[in-house]
Amino acid sequence: MITLTVNGQTHSLDLEPEMPLLWALRDELGLTGTKFGCGIGQCGACMVLMNGAALRSCLISLADVGNSPITTIEGLAPPGGEPGSHPVQRAWIEHDVPQCGYCQSGQILAAVSLLNWAPDPSDQQIDAAMGNICRCGTYPRIRAAIQRAAALARG
Amino acid sequence: MTTIALPRRRFLAVALTASGGLAVGFGRRARAARTLRRASPSPWSEPAPGVELGAWLVIDADDSVLIRVSKSEMGQGIFTALPMIVAEELGCAWSAVRAEYASANRNRRERDVYGRMGTGGSTSVRTLHFALQRVGASARARLVAAAAEIWGVPASTLKVENGAVFHPPTGRSIRFGPLAASAAAITLPREPRIKTPAEYTLIGKPLPRLDAPVKVTGAARFGIDARLPGMLYAALALPPVLGARALHFDAAAILSRRGIKAVVPVPGGLAVIADSFWRAKEAAVVLPVTWSEGAAGFNTAALRARYRAALDGHTATALSRGDPASAIASAPAKLEALYEVPYLAHAPMEPLNCTAHVQADRADVWIGTQNPDLALLWAARASGLPPAKIHIHNAYLGGGFGRRGTNDELPQAIAASKAVGAPVKLVWTRENDIRADRFRPQAAIRMHAGLDHSGLPLAWEMLAAVDSIDASLFGYHPTAGYEQQAVEGLTDTAYAVPHLRVGCALQQTPAPVMFWRSVGYSQNAFAVESFIDEMAHAAAADALAFRRRLLAHRPDYLHLLDVLARAGDWGKPLPPGRGRGLALSESHDTIVGEIAEVAVSPAGTIRVERVIVAVDCGHTVNPHILATQMESAVVYGLTAALYGEITIEKGRVAQGNFDTYPMLRMADCPRIETHLALSGGSKWGGIGEPAVPPAAPALCNAIFAATGRRIRALPLSKASLGGRA
């Protein structure tokens, strides 16, 4: 049995240890906010947080996740908060970032991870940390939303 | 004058039962405590409480207004823009509006009550705005008539504002919610007039998208997110070579793996069905299959020579004006250039997928499709059920760009579900998506001009050798020898040229081709706008001034060029290694001009610093969405120009994922600014596609300005720009 802690809940799952985390989240736990885009760690649509750092869930196996707590887009809002109430999500809504929206869970979690280690990121830090693909070209809005989220987090 | 279909007493009773709000009286509106979900997470499955005022509109007792959207939301914003058009005329509070997809099944049952539901060609606002304005205006007039009937006053004395009807002389008012049922029963003797643009209060406002909140919480349901009880998953084993088919496969070799249920032949390949997509996908890779040879002799490397040769042979005349051949022959100067573009993949972020549940008496399909009404017919054909038994549940599309206009994934999922007698979610991998795409055609376009003494074109011959989409997609071979998408952007050029000929040599190869965001304009604008730049350079003229001389008869273009030049600092000096390039394109009833500013390092590395966009789509429903579509299209166009190329060797598509088919990312994304140059009038131009075509030529013209190197073949990743002095 695999033990997996996601969004504060611990699950006991009869799954192969080599199954990538992505498929356990989507198909076994029904957390479909985490998206499949490429399967080879290129696009970042599958990003989740592990110990506060963004991680491509299509590449990491359940065995490698181990007991590390995972946060998906569904679990991003602070405990007791409305869905979408995390500062990064609020900034995303203020800047009306999504178009098709498919990559945005991953983009948001990449931004959360960036802001965890660089609370006031420079453009160069944003460039370096935000490598996820958006086929709709929302990059300029993402950049603005990250700067806004940094301001919101400062209060 | 109104006709009320119900006797008055019954009509009031209906109003009472349907409203709920009446129980607490008109004055004390119990404003709904629940948070209004502006766009539902699952756009396919909301049963709507409330009263329908026609198929497009439902008003609930709490005054919330559900507006049905007959087009597909794939990022371009119609889930917000189309409801704005209805709400503008209806007079409801925008905060009361929510959006949901119209049902393709109902469209079928009720004889095209929503019209054509296909989304493509940047047509949604263009073709629907008038119908939707009338939907809103008609509903408002019926709500007014219902209030007039209740109060016994003339409808002409009533006003509508913020979702309520007012009688100013007495100060009375009724909210839409309690009025809806009686309004629904009213038939107007004459439909009301719609607003003039000066009266708009919503249209033209940069309102936020209705679907943004569900797209930042992970709640938005895309096709790939469908989940049904007892659902199985399918992954594809597709032929490695174009046109090959499975001759033999050994299902037994994988059936012992955990969770594997079956291997089912489906159109285009084999589906491995399992209790988990990952298990299915892993098994599909190792499934032993013997494939037929297919187009093993097909190499795109040989196509460039073939397309060039086609331009030397007979070309079908798509347009002929004057006598270009002799005008070129006798012109004081001549200019010729050849432009070439490769096959491109669409690569929407959400890989193609479809969930089908085929039962004895009905079939349900969950999919993100650009064509729900055609999907219904495709599902009927694939399942053998009559169209009335098919239920298409359209989802948010994780990108479309033309790819989701033909749902190759749909008959595959139907076949899989039929074979195993369970709901099946079939998902393409990214490798399936790239290798089994229907590509943007490859093309060679030769420009030949006869120039007058000032360097302006007297005569222009444009020849295009390009894959036929009609032949590839529809099996239709145009008898005229050309098709619209092969020559669009050429035959409709706005430049005043006395003698013009557009010739076309349609090509067919084993590579399937289809519509790709902006279609023929994507390659033809590259050729036209690069060549204009070459003519301007040959004439030692400023590229913008040169265009102005050829567009003197078009005040809309001239105004747009003024806006663009000012915003884009045209003519201002730049340091060495930097350059600005200009390009124009008119498509889908919209003119877009772009100025790209690039920096090219001595080693040849290109950096696009900024792109200035000027756009004339006549009217804009939502300037915020307009700006985001300009940004989106610029990124899409630059991605293709910089990196996009599908190559095929021995019938095998060489690219397979984002490592070999790269995308523009944040670090390479320029600053993009949009400036409006709206001409108003009767034009409601499309906005999803028209900013794609100018991106590549603006970029290449900027590179020429920076380096003196003319790029005539895309992508730029294949051009060597290093080693400059």
Side-chain angles (χ1 to χ4, degrees):
Chain A
M1 291 298 268
I2 299 280
T3 303
L4 195 59
T5 304
V6 182
N7 301 333
Q9 278 193 301
T10 300
H11 305 266
S12 203
L13 302 164
D14 174 23
L15 296 173
E16 299 87 323
E18 65 271 25
M19 178 184 277
L21 173 61
L22 169 66
W23 300 109
L25 294 173
R26 285 185 56 82
D27 292 351
E28 308 297 331
L29 301 182
L31 295 170
T32 53
T34 306
K35 300 305 191 205
F36 167 53
C38 70
I40 61 165
Q42 275 283 325
C43 75
C46 66
M47 268 188 172
V48 298
L49 297 178
M50 187 162 88
N51 299 316
L55 176 85
R56 288 171 156 86
S57 67
C58 74
L59 287 187
I60 188 166
S61 68
L62 294 175
D64 288 341
V65 172
N67 293 323
S68 303
I70 298 295
T71 303
T72 70
I73 188 72
E74 292 92 345
L76 186 60
E82 283 277 305
S85 59
H86 186 281
V88 172
Q89 290 171 310
R90 281 160 52 207
W92 243 248
I93 290 173
E94 274 185 39
H95 283 266
D96 218 28
V97 173
Q99 289 185 30
C100 91
Y102 193 77
C103 74
Q104 297 298 340
S105 299
Q107 303 279 6
I108 286 167
L109 292 171
V112 169
S113 175
L114 164 65
L115 291 168
N116 280 346
W117 61 267
D120 191 10
S122 65
D123 275 337
Q124 288 70 27
Q125 287 173 316
I126 292 175
D127 284 347
M130 299 299 294
N132 290 6
I133 295 171
C134 172
R135 203 61 176 119
C136 299
T138 62
Y139 304 119
R141 310 264 161 184
I142 290 176
R143 184 185 300 279
I146 290 173
Q147 285 153 351
R148 175 65 183 147
L152 283 174
R154 283 193 300 269
Chain B
M1 272 297 292
T2 58
T3 311
I4 296 178
L6 293 174
R8 187 177 162 85
R9 185 174 302 162
R10 186 167 156 230
F11 136 72
L12 276 176
V14 169
L16 278 164
T17 50
S19 71
L22 274 179
V24 292
F26 291 134
R28 227 184 93 226
R29 282 295 309 150
R31 204 77 185 92
R34 68 181 169 88
T35 313
L36 184 67
R37 275 226 190 252
R38 311 294 305 282
S40 107
S42 311
W44 60 66
S45 64
E46 288 277 295
V51 178
E52 273 202 359
L53 275 81
W56 297 87
L57 201 60
V58 181
I59 298 180
D60 200 359
D62 64 0
D63 302 329
S64 67
V65 177
L66 171 68
I67 296 172
R68 298 207 169 103
V69 176
S70 62
K71 301 291 180 177
S72 300
E73 177 56 67
M74 46 192 174
Q76 84 282 39
I78 50 86
F79 222 63
T80 305
L82 299 184
M84 279 176 72
I85 295 171
V86 176
E88 172 72 65
E89 296 289 339
L90 181 62
C92 61
W94 177 243
S95 59
V97 170
R98 56 198 187 92
E100 181 183 294
Y101 279 140
S103 156
N105 180 268
R106 178 173 181 176
N107 200 39
R108 175 97 199 159
R109 277 198 320 270
E110 298 184 16
R111 283 183 283 170
D112 287 334
V113 66
Y114 299 116
R116 273 284 290 119
M117 294 178 72
T119 308
S122 296
T123 52
S124 296
V125 167
R126 270 202 293 164
T127 59
L128 271 179
H129 73 88
F130 187 50
L132 295 181
Q133 285 169 309
R134 287 191 299 173
V135 163
S138 178
R140 171 164 68 175
R142 283 184 286 158
L143 290 158
V144 165
E149 188 63 32
I150 289 171
W151 291 326
V153 299
S156 60
T157 61
L158 301 180
K159 290 202 177 332
V160 168
E161 206 173 312
N162 258 337
V165 182
F166 294 87
H167 185 235
T170 58
R172 285 180 295 185
S173 70
I174 313 182
R175 311 284 317 167
F176 280 1
L179 281 175
S182 40
I186 289 173
T187 306
L188 299 170
R190 196 176 60 243
E191 289 299 318
R193 75 168 186 94
I194 57 170
K195 289 182 179 179
T196 62
E199 298 170 284
Y200 293 157
T201 57
L202 274 182
I203 289 178
K205 284 218 170 103
L207 299 176
R209 298 171 61 113
L210 295 181
D211 55 348
V214 295
K215 288 180 174 177
V216 304
T217 58
R221 291 283 182 267
F222 297 83
I224 203 168
D225 302 326
R227 289 174 66 81
L228 299 165
M231 182 176 82
L232 298 173
Y233 298 80
L236 292 168
L238 294 182
V241 174
L242 292 175
R245 57 201 166 76
L247 298 175
H248 176 262
F249 61 92
D250 182 13
I254 61 166
L255 282 172
S256 59
R257 294 169 68 109
R258 179 173 170 185
I260 303 299
K261 307 287 185 190
V263 180
V264 178
V266 297
L270 302 166
V272 174
I273 298 173
D275 59 0
S276 130
F277 178 67
W278 177 71
R279 291 179 191 123
K281 173 170 86 82
E282 296 296 298
V285 174
V286 298
L287 174 70
V289 187
T290 308
W291 301 99
S292 69
E293 192 186 357
F298 177 52
N299 297 291
T300 46
L303 284 190
R304 278 175 82 166
R306 175 179 145 185
Y307 284 32
R308 289 178 182 198
L311 295 174
D312 293 329
H314 170 75
T315 55
T317 299
L319 179 86
S320 184
R321 184 162 75 217
D323 186 359
S326 41
I328 291 173
S330 62
K334 298 172 186 59
L335 193 67
E336 186 173 324
L338 176 76
Y339 303 93
E340 294 170 295
V341 299
Y343 288 119
L344 295 173
H346 297 78
M349 283 311 297
E350 181 193 11
L352 298 186
N353 62 84
C354 178
T355 301
H357 188 199
V358 183
Q359 302 174 78
D361 61 343
R362 67 180 277 158
D364 288 79
V365 174
W366 291 262
I367 189 170
T369 174
Q370 291 177 236
N371 268 317
D373 43 3
L374 293 182
L376 189 149
L377 298 177
W378 295 328
R381 191 187 309 153
S383 66
L385 289 163
K389 305 280 189 190
I390 307 295
H391 299 266
I392 301 289
H393 310 280
N394 201 12
Y396 294 115
L397 279 61
F401 316 121
R403 182 61 182 108
R404 288 191 153 88
T406 297
N407 300 125
D408 294 312
E409 64 279 28
L410 189 153
Q412 294 173 338
I414 295 266
S417 175
K418 271 180 87 166
V420 296
V424 174
K425 172 153 72 180
L426 180 138
V427 179
W428 289 33
T429 61
R430 179 59 59 192
E431 289 77 10
N432 297 153
D433 169 74
I434 299 285
R435 296 198 168 119
D437 197 0
R438 297 167 182 265
F439 307 109
R440 196 286 304 271
Q442 172 144 344
I445 301 148
R446 184 181 295 150
M447 298 298 191
H448 193 193
L451 309 172
D452 69 13
H453 290 289
S454 64
L456 290 172
L458 279 169
W460 190 342
E461 188 177 52
M462 309 170 168
L463 302 180
V466 56
D467 301 55
S468 168
I469 293 175
D470 283 355
S472 177
L473 193 57
F474 307 119
Y476 168 73
H477 298 269
T479 50
Y482 68 92
E483 58 194 32
Q484 189 212 317
Q485 57 268 11
V487 294
E488 61 191 10
L490 305 177
T491 51
D492 50 351
T493 180
Y495 295 118
V497 182
H499 304 275
L500 175 67
R501 177 173 180 269
V502 176
C504 179
L506 290 178
Q507 303 295 306
Q508 262 191 282
T509 81
V513 291
M514 200 176 61
F515 309 110
W516 181 96
R517 194 174 188 177
S518 81
V519 196
Y521 292 97
S522 71
Q523 73 265 11
N524 291 336
F526 169 61
V528 168
E529 289 299 299
S530 297
F531 193 62
I532 285 277
D533 220 61
E534 298 207 41
M535 286 193 277
H537 180 70
D542 173 80
L544 191 145
F546 191 81
R547 284 176 172 84
R548 286 186 70 93
R549 288 162 71 188
L550 291 170
L551 294 165
H553 60 295
R554 289 290 297 267
D556 49 351
Y557 271 94
L558 297 178
H559 174 60
L560 181 136
L561 281 170
D562 287 342
V563 170
L564 185 61
R566 211 164 32 240
D569 298 325
W570 188 255
K572 283 197 189 154
L574 284 170
R578 287 182 176 243
R580 285 191 198 95
L582 168 68
L584 294 172
S585 171
E586 182 174 11
S587 69
H588 312 91
D589 290 342
T590 291
I591 307 170
V592 176
E594 293 173 18
I595 292 175
E597 200 174 302
V598 302
V600 185
S601 76
T605 307
I606 301 160
R607 179 162 178 86
V608 190
E609 298 282 350
R610 63 174 192 157
V611 175
I612 307 299
V613 181
V615 54
D616 175 16
C617 52
H619 296 272
T620 175
V621 176
N622 184 322
H624 157 66
I625 292 175
L626 172 61
T628 60
Q629 282 313 290
M630 297 300 104
E631 292 159 19
S632 174
V634 165
V635 170
Y636 205 79
L638 290 179
T639 301
L642 289 165
Y643 318 114
E645 183 177 37
I646 291 292
T647 55
I648 298 159
E649 294 153 26
K650 296 180 178 170
R652 294 168 186 256
V653 176
Q655 296 72 26
N657 207 318
F658 294 127
D659 51 346
T660 47
Y661 194 74
M663 296 288 140
L664 190 109
R665 299 178 192 239
M666 175 72 84
D668 304 311
C669 184
R671 284 176 288 134
I672 306 169
E673 289 171 29
T674 298
H675 298 267
L676 306 188
L678 304 178
S679 57
S682 60
K683 189 165 99 163
W684 294 65
I687 64 164
E689 296 167 272
V692 174
L699 171 59
C700 292
N701 293 342
I703 290 168
F704 180 79
T707 67
R709 280 285 308 278
R710 177 60 63 183
I711 305 296
R712 297 194 185 90
L714 297 176
L716 279 153
S717 55
K718 289 287 174 70
S720 171
L721 288 169
R724 270 185 311 118

